[in-house]
Amino acid sequence: MSTQNPIRLKELAADIELELNRLRQLEKDITYVRQEVENDPIHAKLFYENLALKLQSFYTGCERIFSLVAIELNGGVPSGSDWHKRLLDRMMTERETRIAVIRPETAKRLQEMLAFRHVVRSIYGFELDSDRIARLVDAYPKAWAQTQTDVAHFNAWLVSLATNLEAVNPEA
């Protein structure tokens, strides 16, 4: 985006907050299913398939946020077969038009989720590795906490930028 429009920046912040709220609901769902694994180990295999889908949804939600930022502030998402990884890499890098969306340590945690999402999309549910899912479910709270913190910081920056732009040019 060549000139930053305060209204568009606020709309972007609102769109990001909507995605964060969806991810917060997903957090509750993951916690619930995780408890079900503990309560009913006989059916754990079914719960792990469910958790795999939820972990895929988690990364998809994160990527929606990253795509919104890329489209509004960077002129679009990357292209090519590795665009998902390149998008994630770009989010941890400050650009001329914005601060970094996430920290490198957050990106590293999300890279695991991205790789797993590709697996989930490529094989049958019964082929999923329950041990890997369990490890990722254990890693999820930290990945989510870091992502939520980083994106909230970015969103606060967006709102502040919009407010400052409005103060400088009230007719924008």
Side-chain angles (χ1 to χ4, degrees):
M1 180 160 93
S2 57
T3 60
Q4 294 178 324
N5 178 309
I7 294 170
R8 289 185 67 178
L9 293 173
K10 286 183 177 181
E11 286 298 319
L12 174 58
D15 290 345
I16 290 171
E17 190 58 39
L18 179 64
E19 289 301 328
L20 285 173
N21 286 333
R22 290 175 176 151
L23 287 168
R24 288 181 190 108
Q25 177 59 50
L26 183 64
E27 176 185 26
K28 293 175 187 173
D29 294 348
I30 289 172
T31 299
Y32 173 77
V33 177
R34 191 176 191 182
Q35 290 169 347
E36 289 301 308
V37 169
E38 294 171 16
N39 296 339
D40 187 4
I42 292 171
H43 294 103
K45 180 94 171 124
L46 295 174
F47 294 130
Y48 280 124
E49 284 187 42
N50 185 283
L51 284 168
L53 180 61
K54 290 183 183 333
L55 290 171
Q56 172 188 297
S57 294
F58 167 65
Y59 189 80
T60 298
C62 293
E63 193 169 78
R64 282 185 187 146
I65 292 169
F66 303 154
S67 293
L68 288 167
V69 172
I71 290 165
E72 288 297 323
L73 300 179
N74 300 109
V77 295
S79 60
S81 62
D82 65 342
W83 77 268
H84 299 279
K85 183 186 177 323
R86 289 176 44 225
L87 177 64
L88 180 59
D89 289 345
R90 288 180 185 183
M91 292 301 112
M92 67 177 167
T93 307
E94 186 171 326
R95 299 289 197 206
E96 183 179 318
T97 55
R98 62 166 175 78
I99 64 171
V101 178
I102 56 174
R103 294 169 290 152
E105 56 268 23
T106 305
K108 185 176 179 181
R109 290 186 185 279
L110 291 176
Q111 284 170 350
E112 290 181 79
M113 299 294 178
L114 171 59
F116 183 68
R117 183 181 74 171
H118 287 300
V119 170
V120 172
R121 289 181 172 183
S122 301
I123 64 174
Y124 292 104
F126 61 83
E127 295 177 309
L128 291 166
D129 178 359
S130 295
D131 291 336
R132 183 175 186 192
I133 296 167
R135 283 191 308 276
L136 287 170
V137 167
D138 287 343
Y140 160 78
K142 185 82 170 171
W144 167 230
Q146 286 181 298
T147 302
Q148 187 171 208
T149 297
D150 291 357
V151 173
H153 177 267
F154 178 79
N155 235 20
W157 173 83
L158 270 178
V159 172
S160 176
L161 177 60
T163 302
N164 290 339
L165 287 170
E166 286 174 333
V168 171
N169 186 7
E171 298 165 9

